[in-house]
Each structure stands twice: as structure tokens, then as C-alpha cells.
Amino acid sequence: MNRLEPVDDSDVEMDRLVREFARDSRTPPLPDETAALPWTVQRESPSAGPFSLATGWRAVEGLRRAAFSFVRLGATLAVAGTFLLVVSHTRTGGAGSDYIITPQITARPSGVIAAPDAPKVYVVKANGVVDDVMADYVSGAVRRAEVDGASAVIIQLDTLGGSESSMLRIDAALHSKIPTIVWVGPSGAKAASAGTFITLSANLAYMATSTNIGAASPVAAGGGDIAATYGQTEADKVMNDAIATIRGIAQERHPDAVAWAVSTVEHAQSYTAQEAISAKAVNAIAGSIDEVLAQADGLTVTTTSGQVVVNTKGATTINVSEDVIQSFLHTLDDPNIAFILLVMGVLFVAVEFFHPTLLMGLLGAISLALSFYGSGSLPLNVLGVFLVVLGIGMLILETTIPSHGLLTVGGIAVFVVGGVAYYGSPGPYLPTVAVAWPIILVMTTAAAAYGLLLVGTLMRMRHQPVPVGAGLVGIDKVVGLVGEVRADLSPVGTVYVGRESWSARSRDGSEIERDAKVRIVGQEGLTLIVEKMA
Amino acid sequence: MSDPPGPPAERGMFPKEAYLSAEIVRTPLRAAASREIAFDRAFVTALEAELSMAYRLAGYLMADSAEAQDAVQEASVRAWRAWKDLRERDRFHAWFSQILVNVCRTRLRQLSKRRTLDVDDMDLETGDPFRASLARDSVGRALSALSNELRMVVVLRYWGELSLAEIADRLKIPIGTVKSRHHAALKVLRRRIEPVEGVAR
């Protein structure tokens, strides 16, 4: 529209017409019977100005509700956490725990027919993160092998590392009355970080070809990442402790292996099987359990019951596996699963917070507890966790604070950075792990969609204007709707419709009893005219 | 401005208290009044002078008396809250109508999500005085059919008797926009009325 366009004749004419119309308009008087007016309106727009008693009260009420939600959430978390602690504690540690294990004894499908009095050898597969579950079942299996009179126990090891305390428990278990053998295999397996300590702890150690032992991955000398996280002093302390530990363990194996063992910790060196054998840290290459049995036979080792000659020739091998709960708990150590559980837990808790149902809170609390249980043996980076939670928080806030997508973009960025930095870098025991990229992408999408859709819907539901007072006055608003009789129409009573109670009478003057469904067909002043529905 | 008819003075502490019947405003008003009567009387006196015109403007803006009452009340509440920050008390008239126009604009926007103001949909049986007034001839009907933006300018211009510059001030938009909206409004009105009354070009 061109504002410079001259006002033409017809505009002048129109101007006059409207002016006259306005002048002749009757302005109705302001109503003076306030009692009769439907305007006891308590509604206020959310952006209603500065502080007042009303906003003050709302703030107090909001705080009260927030506090209540927090308490409730805290209680939920506490219950779930306690439950989990109890479950995990009954499985780990404690005197009797070694006997919880029920080895699933399966005869190895081997062509060799063992002689009736052939020696028995227990084989324990120790894969994944070195955690309390692994410690449990390795020590359980060793104890079981002792009790059953097995001639040796073989730990088939493949790990990137784990927690120090679990490693120490396994180390203790491997000092047994019967010979203990660690076999790093099959090909491609690793005995990294804590795995190195375990390998050196056993009486005998064998590695398959193409296996590695030593640091999980080469990092800066001096374990630079611990220094970055905890400061140099703490890093030195951790490092010195680890060196002292491995020195002690290696000394038992072979004095020549000590310098080599120290280098795996101090310089984060990783070695091939051949290099480990040259350093006298590992006995020999063994491609399979059978080769281990063959090579170990006849060697003399020192067990807690003294010098023992290993008798494994033609031994029957008995596999010991984890039970269901153990393998479930062990699965939680997967870096990806721990990450997914954390994200899911935070999302569930967020929903619980906005829309308390207890169920979501419980699910969230359990997810979080499982996640933290799982990452107990992983190099969790507190900053990464914080960023992930912050990112989700930003995504959810987007639905309540208008930021024109800024919070969403920022939230996604923060979340991704958090996902990448979720695991920090390890000390001498912990595995070097990271959340897989596809997982980060999927969880980012999920968190964003979840934040925007689900929580957004909940917030919209909450912010939906409730039609009150004048908002509903007007025949067009309720006529045609269906209401419910709240007080008998005899002939005038009350009908609840459109979230309000109205005076109402039936169209034909007939009585309509309470709870009947009625259709609003008209209105007379503030009284609705209704018809009973068939 | 004619004296607005209102409730009898003995009904409340202030003659116009009835218009501020919502508890949210009555409570702070009373509380403040007991301490700072002069201050409060100034506000109430100033507001009183505005109510009639405000109701008229809001009524024709919203084409609904109940909505207009709500709008006037909400504007009063907001004015009261901001009153202590108002430096130039003599500008109360312009200031208050600015608030009122803002309130109406917000309400219209919310309303337009729920219904459209079209004279054909208006039910005269509800007896709304503003609707009745607008529905009395083709000019009024054409007016009610204007978009909110255009109708605001027209109502402020002809019912509020404001200059284009004043309208720009109330709506907080550039005067050029006011001019073009005014022009556009007249054009739309003309187009609507022509087939009915044959207004000469």
C-alpha cells in the first residue's frame, strides 16, 4: 500500500461515512450491576507485569510445588537406588558370595575321550570390563575348582581394563591352592590396563597370536589425562601406586619381567604376544585351550599350598559361565549401554517432573541407577555427564522459554559434546572407551525429539487457556455442547459444561435428574436451555 | 467526556471499585489505600475519568461488551501495577489508552484463535450492545469484518478521535504504517459498501 497515495474522493466520502457512523454509535453505559456480571475473572495473562500479591503468591505456590516434586523425586530415586544397591551388594563381596555362583558345567564337545580318572580343568571366560561381576565369578569359579578338586583353572581373558578394586579381587583369587592360568585369547583378544595386571597375577600366562597386552591405547607418558582431570600430584600418586602394584605382581612371575611390566604402566606401552614372551612376562604362545593344556603340563608352579606340578595332560575341560543376573549386570558395563541408560533416565525423570505419574520417575531412577552402576568400572568423565544432562535440560527448556530455536541448537551441541566427552581417559586400570558415534547421533535425535514432542505436549497441555468467566459467555460457546446435570432440573438446576457450572432448565419444562447427559440448545440470559439426550 | 454511569458511591470505598472487583486488584488497592490514600485517590480519580471512553474503545475494538469489560479491567489492573513507575502523571490519558490498546490487541489475538468476528455469525439475540450497534447498517457490518489491524486504526481514529500521530503512539507503530493502514481500511470499507449502497466514486 502506497502511503503517499493522495486521498481520493472516495476516501473522503468513506471517511465521512465512518465518522458519522461513529458519532451516531450508541455507547452502552458501563454496567452498574456488577453482581450480575460474569466477570469475576481471576485469569491473568502469564506476562502480567511486575510484582504483586498475586504473582508473589504464585511464586510461593510454584516453589512449594517444585519442592514437593523434588522431594518426591528424591524419594523415588532413593527407593530405586537402595533396591539396586541391595541387589548388587548381595551379588558382590561378602563371605558367602563366592558360592552364589552355579557353574553351568558343560562337557566340552571334544573328540578326545577322557580317561575316567583324567584331570579336570575349569575354564572361565572373562570378557568385557573388569568389574565386580567379573571379580565375583572369576573368584567363585576358582573357589569352585578348588573344592571340586580340579587340577587347574584357566581364565580366558579378553578385556580393555576396568576398576582397580575388581582387578585386585581377581588378583587375590588367582593366588589359589591350585595352579591358575590366564590365556589371552582367542586371536585378537586384548589384556589391556587392568587385564595386564590380571595376566601377570596368574601362575602361568599364555597368549594367542595377534593378541596384545599392556596399556589400552598409547597415551602421553605420565598419563596426561589423569593429570588434566585431577591435577599432577594426584596423577603422580595414582601412577606410583599402579607402578608399585605391578612391580609386586611382576616380581612373583619373573624378576626379568619387572622393568617390562613397569613400562606398560609408566609409558602406557602396549606389546604383542611375542614381545611379552621375550620379556618373560608371558610363558608362551598358545592358539587354543588345548595348546594351553599341553604346554602347561609338567611345569612346576608355586601355589598357596606350595610347589605343585601342573597336571593337565588330557584333562577334561569344564566351562564355567556367568549366571543370568551376572551377565545382565556385566552388560551394563558396556560404555554405550551405560550412556543410553543415563540419557533415558534423565528423560524419564524430566517427564516425571513435569507430569508426575511415579511410573516415569521410577523408570528414570532405575535407569539412572543402572547407568551409574554400569559406569562404576568405566572412566566416567564428570564433565561429560554434566554436559549431557545440561544438553537435555536445554532441549526441554526450549519448550518453556521462547528462544527461537537457540536453546535447541545449543542443547544439541552441548549434548553431542557431552556424548563425545562422556568417558575420559583412563588411569592405569581403566579401559579406554568412548560412546560410539552412531549411538550419540541416535540418542541426540531421540533426546531432541523427546524434549520437543513429549515435554512440549505436556507443557502445552498445562498452558492451554482454561475458558473461564467471560471467555465462555456467549451463546456460541456452549450451545451445541453436551453437558452433565449436576443438580436436578426441576425445572431449573445446574448443568456442568465447558468446565463451568451453569444454571439451566429443560426446553420443555420437564424434570431432568442428576448425572443425565444433556445437549445445550439455547440460552436465556445466563440460564442455559437444555434437552435430555436419548 | 460524559460522566460514566456507575454504581452508587456508597457501595465501596471508591465509586469505581466495582470495576476493579477482581480480588487481585481489590486487595492491593485496599492495602495501599489504608496507607497512602492521597496516592491511591489520585490513581482512582485518574482512572475514573478514563473508564467510559476506555469501555467505548474496547467495546468497538472487540465488538463484545463482556470482552470489553474484561479488557478495561485488565488494563486497570496493569495500570495500577505500573502506576508507581509512571513519572508524568498528566500523561495518564495517553498512557492508559496505550495499555488498553495493548490489552485489546493481545485479547483479539487470543480470540481470533478461537473465533472470527464476522457480523454474519453475530447473534443479535444475545443483545450485546456493541454488536447491535455495529450491526445496524452496512457501514457497521463492513467495519466488523475488517481485520484486527485495520479495525484498530479505524476505531482509534473515529471512536477515539485520535490523530494519526496519536494512533501511531498508542499502537507503537510508525506513522507511515498508520497512514497506509488507515487508507487500506477505508478502501476495504468502500469495496464492501459499494455493492450495497452504491457509494459514488
Side-chain angles (χ1 to χ4, degrees):
Chain A
M1 209 58 61
N2 185 355
R3 69 177 75 139
L4 299 175
E5 195 180 320
V7 175
D8 61 30
D9 290 348
S10 60
D11 273 352
V12 174
E13 171 69 6
M14 205 58 239
D15 187 80
R16 186 184 59 77
L17 276 175
V18 180
R19 197 179 296 277
E20 278 171 11
F21 182 88
R23 198 184 53 230
D24 297 343
S25 297
R26 189 173 62 92
T27 297
L30 277 159
D32 54 9
E33 276 306 316
T34 47
L37 284 174
W39 70 344
T40 47
V41 177
Q42 305 287 332
R43 174 181 51 185
E44 271 184 286
S45 75
S47 56
F51 187 82
S52 73
L53 283 184
T55 52
W57 168 243
R58 258 210 316 275
V60 170
E61 176 66 13
L63 275 179
R64 194 190 64 78
R65 276 200 207 146
F68 179 73
S69 296
F70 271 121
V71 168
R72 181 174 165 152
L73 230 137
T76 317
L77 278 170
V79 169
T82 314
F83 165 76
L84 217 92
L85 263 177
V86 168
V87 167
S88 65
H89 193 76
T90 54
R91 315 273 336 162
T92 60
S97 69
D98 288 347
Y99 295 101
I100 289 176
I101 193 164
T102 337
Q104 293 169 4
I105 297 169
T106 48
R108 212 154 101 320
S110 156
V112 183
I113 297 163
D117 58 345
K120 286 181 292 184
V121 172
Y122 278 51
V123 177
V124 190
K125 281 206 175 87
N127 296 336
V129 175
V130 176
D131 57 3
D132 278 345
V133 178
M134 187 191 276
D136 258 5
Y137 102 98
V138 166
S139 55
V142 172
R143 188 75 58 90
R144 178 71 186 245
E146 287 175 358
V147 171
D148 290 359
S151 61
V153 59
I154 299 179
I155 316 296
Q156 184 180 333
L157 189 66
D158 181 6
T159 181
L160 288 173
S163 82
E164 182 187 1
S165 62
S166 308
M167 182 277 290
L168 289 174
R169 283 184 55 204
I170 294 177
D171 173 51
L174 291 179
H175 288 81
S176 156
K177 281 187 277 190
I178 58 172
T180 53
I181 305 169
V182 165
W183 177 54
V184 183
S187 251
K190 283 183 168 50
S193 302
T196 309
F197 291 71
I198 293 171
T199 310
L200 297 178
S201 295
N203 295 126
L204 296 168
Y206 295 91
M207 291 173 76
T209 44
S210 310
T211 55
N212 287 85
I213 187 167
S217 69
V219 290
D225 288 292
I226 313 177
T229 316
Y230 302 108
Q232 192 57 47
T233 322
E234 186 64 19
D236 287 347
K237 190 167 160 285
V238 170
M239 186 56 65
N240 291 337
D241 281 354
I243 289 172
T245 307
I246 203 157
R247 196 184 290 277
I249 292 174
Q251 184 69 42
E252 285 180 47
R253 165 160 294 281
H254 198 289
D256 293 354
V258 172
W260 174 90
V262 168
S263 80
T264 64
V265 174
E266 195 170 25
H267 305 301
Q269 289 280 3
S270 182
Y271 296 96
T272 62
Q274 203 56 56
E275 288 168 324
I277 293 164
S278 318
K280 296 196 176 357
V282 171
N283 295 67
I285 298 268
S288 65
I289 296 281
D290 286 335
E291 284 183 35
V292 173
L293 295 176
Q295 297 199 27
D297 188 60
L299 298 178
T300 306
V301 297
T302 309
T303 65
T304 51
S305 53
Q307 300 272 324
V308 173
V309 176
V310 180
N311 170 25
T312 54
K313 198 172 189 79
T316 312
T317 54
I318 294 164
N319 289 325
V320 183
S321 13
E322 301 161 311
D323 65 29
V324 179
I325 293 178
Q326 280 178 330
S327 71
F328 168 71
L329 290 175
H330 199 51
T331 312
L332 297 176
D333 287 336
D334 184 280
N336 293 319
I337 289 176
F339 175 74
I340 292 171
L341 281 172
L342 176 100
V343 174
M344 275 171 38
V346 173
L347 291 176
F348 282 142
V349 168
V351 172
E352 172 73 25
F353 193 75
F354 286 114
H355 187 73
T357 56
L358 215 62
L359 176 74
M360 283 295 178
L362 214 67
L363 276 177
I366 290 174
S367 298
L368 284 178
L370 289 177
S371 168
F372 286 117
Y373 177 81
S375 37
S377 306
L378 295 172
L380 201 62
N381 183 359
V382 179
L383 183 69
V385 177
F386 173 74
L387 287 179
V388 166
V389 175
L390 181 71
I392 296 174
M394 285 167 77
L395 287 171
I396 290 169
L397 274 188
E398 171 72 47
T399 57
T400 48
I401 300 172
S403 74
H404 308 289
L406 217 69
L407 275 171
T408 302
V409 174
I412 289 175
V414 169
F415 184 89
V416 169
V417 171
V420 172
Y422 195 75
Y423 296 109
S425 188
Y429 311 103
L430 293 169
T432 303
V433 288
V435 184
W437 264 107
I439 302 281
I440 295 182
L441 293 184
V442 168
M443 291 320 281
T444 308
T445 317
Y450 191 91
L452 294 180
L453 289 178
L454 201 86
V455 181
T457 309
L458 294 175
M459 296 311 291
R460 260 198 305 286
M461 267 164 57
R462 184 188 286 185
H463 286 162
Q464 218 157 44
V466 179
V468 289
L472 263 182
V473 176
I475 201 157
D476 49 327
K477 289 293 183 351
V478 283
V479 170
L481 295 181
V482 173
E484 201 181 274
V485 176
R486 286 290 163 85
D488 294 356
L489 309 188
S490 55
V492 177
T494 313
V495 166
Y496 185 80
V497 59
R499 306 188 198 182
E500 282 193 319
S501 292
W502 293 76
S503 297
R505 64 175 175 78
S506 62
R507 196 218 287 268
D508 51 4
S510 63
E511 291 193 11
I512 301 179
E513 73 284 6
R514 200 183 136 95
D515 293 335
K517 294 265 187 273
V518 291
R519 185 178 295 285
I520 315 318
V521 295
Q523 188 186 24
E524 201 170 74
L526 285 176
T527 305
L528 299 179
I529 298 160
V530 302
E531 239 175 29
K532 187 170 180 182
M533 291 187 61
Chain B
M1 193 178 297
S2 63
D3 205 6
E10 65 271 18
R11 283 185 61 176
M13 190 180 296
F14 310 114
K16 286 298 168 290
E17 196 184 46
Y19 298 121
L20 308 170
S21 66
E23 278 305 311
I24 44 171
V25 88
R26 190 185 282 169
T27 314
L29 264 181
R30 281 217 179 110
S34 60
R35 290 191 296 272
E36 294 175 288
I37 289 176
F39 179 88
D40 234 40
R41 282 211 189 285
F43 176 74
V44 173
T45 311
L47 184 62
E48 254 181 58
E50 298 296 327
L51 286 176
S52 182
M53 188 55 158
Y55 184 51
R56 177 183 166 91
L57 272 184
Y60 283 102
L61 279 175
M62 324 274 295
D64 186 312
S65 57
E67 284 291 338
Q69 287 158 25
D70 278 4
V72 170
Q73 176 174 315
E74 192 181 330
S76 307
V77 172
R78 289 200 190 178
W80 162 246
R81 286 186 182 156
W83 167 257
K84 62 179 180 304
D85 300 324
L86 178 66
R87 300 251 163 65
E88 307 153 72
R89 292 279 154 85
D90 45 340
R91 273 199 75 238
F92 187 84
H93 170 70
W95 179 72
F96 183 73
S97 55
Q98 225 169 36
I99 295 177
L100 180 78
V101 165
N102 247 327
V103 168
C104 287
R105 187 150 48 172
T106 312
R107 283 175 165 263
L108 276 173
R109 209 176 295 138
Q110 288 167 350
L111 274 180
S112 65
K113 283 180 193 159
R114 286 183 274 157
R115 69 153 189 236
T116 50
L117 275 175
D118 195 321
V119 77
D120 297 331
D121 296 341
M122 287 182 186
D123 195 332
L124 300 181
E125 279 174 33
T126 57
D128 191 280
F130 291 104
R131 290 188 201 182
S133 175
L134 280 170
R136 73 177 190 269
D137 72 11
S138 56
V139 177
R141 281 190 211 101
L143 273 169
S144 358
L146 282 180
S147 73
N148 286 345
E149 278 185 351
L150 299 185
R151 197 170 61 245
M152 287 200 120
V153 172
V154 171
V155 169
L156 291 180
R157 176 90 179 93
Y158 298 101
W159 275 267
E161 290 170 357
L162 299 177
S163 71
L164 295 184
E166 283 170 320
I167 295 172
D169 170 62
R170 303 292 192 276
L171 292 174
K172 292 195 182 117
I173 55 176
I175 184 148
T177 313
V178 177
K179 277 182 184 161
S180 66
R181 279 189 192 168
H182 181 235
H183 183 70
L186 291 183
K187 222 168 174 177
V188 172
L189 288 176
R190 192 180 66 223
R191 209 179 311 127
R192 293 214 178 209
I193 292 170
E194 264 169 0
V196 185
E197 299 199 343
V199 174
R201 281 193 61 95

